[in-house]
Amino acid sequence: MRNCRRGQEQYIAYFEDNSDGILVHDDQGNLTDANIEACRVLGYTKEELLRMNIAELEVGLEIITTQTDWAGFLKENSLILQRDFRKKDGATFPVEIHYRSFDKDGSALYECTIKDVTERNLLRIRERNRAHILEQLAGDIDIFTIMRSIVQSIEEEDATSICTILLYDKATNTLGTGAAPNMPDFYNEAIDGISVGDGIGSCGSAAFFKKLICVDNIGTHPYWVDFKELAFKAGVQSCWSQPILSSTNEMVGTFAIYHREPRTPNETDLARIAYGARFANLAIENRRIRAEILEHKNHLEQLVAERTEALIHANEELEAFSYSVSHDLRAPLRAIAGFSNIMLEDYSDKLDADGQKTLNTIVHNALRMGMLIDDILSFSKLSRAEKINTSLDMKSIFRNVFDELIRQEPAGHKVVFELGELTPSIGDQAMITQVVTNFISNALKYSRNTAETKIIVTSTIANGSTIYAVKDNGAGFDEKYRNKLFKIFSRLHNDKEFEGTGIGLSIVKKVIERHGGAVTAEGVLGEGATFSFSLPIV
């Protein structure tokens, strides 16, 4: 008996102190009990509720009759339903109902716990709409479509509202229609271009003061004297307008919420209009930044196009100049070399040793000048030459180049050529052959003073590239001058030691860089050098 009393006391405490509303009804739907929270939420006294049927509260439920099967189901299971309930003032709100049945004095009773899920449902709606709008912002959707989505998302949260976005024009100090899908066209046309100022409707005043303006009753408010007939024709009687401000507090526009009856905003309304204005600003700022980036991109593209055109023109002029130089210089060089040879052949008996030496020097330098002109032209044409990629048998290229060059070497020059198994590659056959020719010819030239030249060619793969190396045991070079090797006209040896123009390695560097690779060199003075180039693995 004592345990039964304690159980009843615990249930009463649970029933009355519960944060959710609890209603109890019989199998006819007649209410038999209601806790304090149910009375508060529904707006009825307990006495009023106990004279009512659950069908009078649950929207869409006309009448409850005896349902033996349903009652049997509830004896074994609980039931959760989503319904709308009606308050005493007629307002409806969504609830989640937890049903369970129990027996009291041999009669079946049903306890329904009602949880107001208005806020939860609004959050779901907001998050769904927010995700949709953010997706639009991430895409290439125009600002007016996005603003329309924002307006409709707020209207979905409050089905009795009509929302608008007006955009501010700083040049004219006016507001223009941005999005107002549910306002009549005549209204939107009438206020399009409305001035910003003190007392010019809710929106014009909000933009002027940069603060929220709430007009609860358009018919009596001084801000709407000149516009109330237009508002009444559009079927609205209240207007709350929030300025849309940028991150630098600059006026961007206004976000407004209208209702068809006089209405004072509550805390939820104020939070909603502030949220709508912030989201509208996010969209407007996003599209402004995108427009600036696009404009900047277009400007850069225009600059690139202009400079590319200028570069093409400069290259054409350079090519013409190079042709002119080569043509104009070759004629006098041939004349110098030719007349010098005539002097040597026809007047050698009249010249002493110093005279003959001088003429030989003139001939030699004229010929060298011709070679230099040819190399400069080759270097200048390289960037304009079309690169045709094909499969490259690198071992065959190295072998053929060496066989051709070794025939030009002095008869007494002993050479050991070790050619490893080279990895095939992709590139322009003629250009890569030119690179290999330069490396092999340099190895032969700079090792000519050794008793026996040794050239080793290998390939390795590293970091997505194939590296081809040519190692010799020749003159080598001082490592501190490594950076000068691939610069045009830069030589580490004079003509008395080794002939050359100082352009060959510059051509090599340019060719390999056009192929997306790199050139390197390692050496020890008097002990030899290793020159390498890489080609990307395709």
Side-chain angles (χ1 to χ4, degrees):
M1 189 71 173
R2 185 178 303 162
N3 290 337
C4 182
R5 188 181 301 111
R6 184 180 299 115
Q8 289 176 344
E9 291 172 354
Q10 289 175 346
Y11 176 78
I12 292 171
Y14 150 80
F15 187 81
E16 293 297 344
D17 297 338
N18 203 300
S19 59
D20 294 323
I22 301 176
L23 299 170
V24 180
H25 65 80
D26 59 21
D27 56 9
Q28 298 298 315
N30 298 312
L31 295 177
T32 61
D33 206 352
N35 71 350
I36 297 171
E37 180 63 14
C39 296
R40 186 193 69 79
V41 169
L42 296 169
Y44 291 98
T45 64
K46 187 171 183 175
E47 290 73 18
E48 289 173 326
L49 286 173
L50 296 185
R51 293 195 296 269
M52 298 174 67
N53 189 283
I54 190 69
E56 298 175 63
L57 301 174
E58 191 173 333
V59 177
L61 184 64
E62 298 298 331
I63 188 170
I64 287 190
T65 59
T66 302
Q67 300 182 44
T68 306
D69 293 340
W70 184 55
F73 173 82
L74 285 178
K75 286 181 180 179
E76 301 295 333
N77 306 273
S78 61
L79 186 65
I80 301 176
L81 302 172
Q82 290 277 356
R83 292 285 189 268
D84 285 343
F85 262 52
R86 185 182 294 107
K87 299 181 181 182
K88 185 176 181 179
D89 60 8
T92 61
F93 65 103
V95 298
E96 184 178 84
I97 308 173
H98 291 251
Y99 260 112
R100 75 177 186 89
S101 70
F102 63 95
D103 289 332
K104 183 178 181 181
D105 301 330
S107 299
L109 294 177
Y110 306 94
E111 177 188 274
C112 56
T113 302
I114 58 173
K115 181 187 291 291
D116 188 341
V117 293
T118 302
E119 186 174 347
R120 186 181 73 185
N121 288 352
L122 285 177
L123 285 175
R124 286 177 178 173
I125 292 171
R126 179 168 292 185
E127 285 307 309
R128 183 196 68 213
N129 290 332
R130 180 184 178 87
H132 173 65
I133 295 167
L134 289 176
E135 184 178 343
Q136 289 183 322
L137 285 171
D140 194 26
I141 306 300
D142 67 274
I143 183 59
F144 293 98
T145 299
I146 296 173
M147 288 191 296
R148 184 185 182 92
S149 295
I150 293 171
V151 163
Q152 290 173 330
S153 72
I154 300 300
E155 290 175 343
E156 185 178 2
E157 292 184 19
D158 179 5
T160 66
S161 67
I162 302 173
C163 302
T164 67
I165 294 177
L166 299 182
L167 298 177
Y168 179 63
D169 186 338
K170 187 176 182 180
T172 59
N173 195 37
T174 59
L175 294 169
T177 302
N182 289 315
M183 287 296 281
D185 290 342
F186 71 81
Y187 184 89
N188 293 331
E189 292 169 4
I191 66 168
D192 190 28
I194 191 172
S195 297
V196 170
D198 182 3
I200 303 179
S202 300
C203 296
S205 300
F208 179 77
F209 291 111
K210 290 187 177 181
K211 69 176 185 179
L212 174 66
I213 298 295
C214 291
V215 173
D216 304 340
N217 191 331
I218 288 174
T220 60
H221 201 284
Y223 285 179
W224 282 82
V225 170
D226 296 331
F227 311 102
K228 64 181 179 181
E229 295 303 324
L230 179 68
F232 291 159
K233 184 179 178 182
V236 293
Q237 296 192 45
S238 67
C239 178
W240 319 321
S241 183
Q242 173 80 34
I244 303 172
L245 302 175
S246 70
S247 56
T248 56
N249 204 42
E250 292 293 318
M251 175 55 56
V252 175
T254 60
F255 184 89
I257 296 180
Y258 295 81
H259 285 91
R260 300 191 182 280
E261 70 284 332
R263 180 166 163 179
T264 302
N266 56 33
E267 289 185 8
T268 301
D269 294 324
L270 295 175
R272 184 177 291 127
I273 193 171
Y275 169 77
R278 287 196 305 272
F279 215 156
N281 178 60
L282 173 65
I284 294 168
E285 287 283 278
N286 174 277
R287 281 306 181 263
R288 178 186 63 79
I289 293 171
R290 282 173 67 101
E292 289 178 356
I293 292 173
L294 181 60
E295 182 180 358
H296 184 61
K297 176 175 174 288
N298 291 337
H299 178 63
L300 287 178
E301 288 178 350
Q302 182 181 354
L303 285 178
V304 169
E306 291 173 355
R307 291 177 183 179
T308 300
E309 185 177 354
L311 182 60
I312 292 172
H313 182 64
N315 282 335
E316 289 173 350
E317 290 183 341
L318 179 60
E319 187 172 358
F321 174 75
S322 299
Y323 177 81
S324 175
V325 166
S326 66
H327 184 271
D328 293 345
L329 284 181
R330 278 196 175 94
L333 282 174
R334 281 194 298 268
I336 292 170
F339 283 115
S340 296
N341 279 319
I342 291 173
M343 289 287 291
L344 285 170
E345 292 174 0
D346 296 349
Y347 299 96
S348 59
D349 57 337
K350 296 181 176 62
L351 296 172
D352 59 13
D354 286 342
Q356 292 184 20
K357 181 181 179 181
T358 300
L359 284 174
N360 280 316
T361 301
I362 292 172
V363 172
H364 172 75
N365 281 285
L367 294 174
R368 187 173 183 275
M369 184 65 176
M371 292 171 57
L372 190 60
I373 290 171
D374 290 338
D375 285 347
I376 291 173
L377 287 174
S378 296
F379 184 78
S380 65
K381 290 178 180 178
L382 187 59
S383 60
R384 299 190 302 277
E386 183 182 2
K387 183 168 74 71
I388 303 173
N389 284 338
T390 59
S391 297
L392 301 177
D393 183 344
M394 296 300 293
K395 186 172 183 178
S396 177
I397 291 174
F398 271 93
R399 170 58 66 186
N400 292 338
V401 167
F402 176 78
D403 290 345
E404 178 66 28
L405 292 175
I406 198 63
R407 287 196 288 267
Q408 304 171 27
E409 286 297 298
H413 188 190
K414 295 180 180 181
V415 179
V416 176
F417 186 60
E418 293 184 8
L419 184 59
E421 290 299 324
L422 305 185
T423 303
S425 191
I426 300 291
D428 185 286
Q429 178 94 17
M431 291 184 183
I432 298 302
T433 300
Q434 186 177 11
V435 170
V436 172
T437 301
N438 187 279
F439 275 15
I440 297 296
S441 63
N442 278 353
L444 290 168
K445 178 172 63 177
Y446 289 107
S447 61
R448 202 167 286 156
N449 296 331
T450 61
E452 183 180 82
T453 293
K454 188 172 185 179
I455 301 173
I456 302 172
V457 181
T458 58
S459 73
T460 56
I461 295 176
N463 301 321
S465 296
T466 305
I467 302 168
Y468 301 93
V470 178
K471 182 179 181 181
D472 65 64
N473 61 338
F477 60 88
D478 192 331
E479 282 282 327
K480 67 182 179 181
Y481 298 120
R482 181 195 300 181
N483 293 334
K484 296 177 63 178
L485 285 171
F486 298 99
K487 293 181 179 178
I488 192 167
F489 301 131
S490 182
R491 301 197 67 214
L492 302 187
H493 303 276
N494 59 41
D495 286 345
K496 292 181 180 179
E497 293 179 295
F498 302 101
E499 73 279 4
T501 61
I503 297 179
L505 288 178
S506 300
I507 292 175
V508 164
K509 183 174 185 290
K510 203 164 189 177
V511 167
I512 296 304
E513 286 180 348
R514 282 198 67 186
H515 281 73
V519 291
T520 58
E522 296 177 358
V524 177
L525 193 60
E527 297 182 16
T530 301
F531 284 81
S532 305
F533 67 91
S534 64
L535 294 175
I537 298 174
V538 180

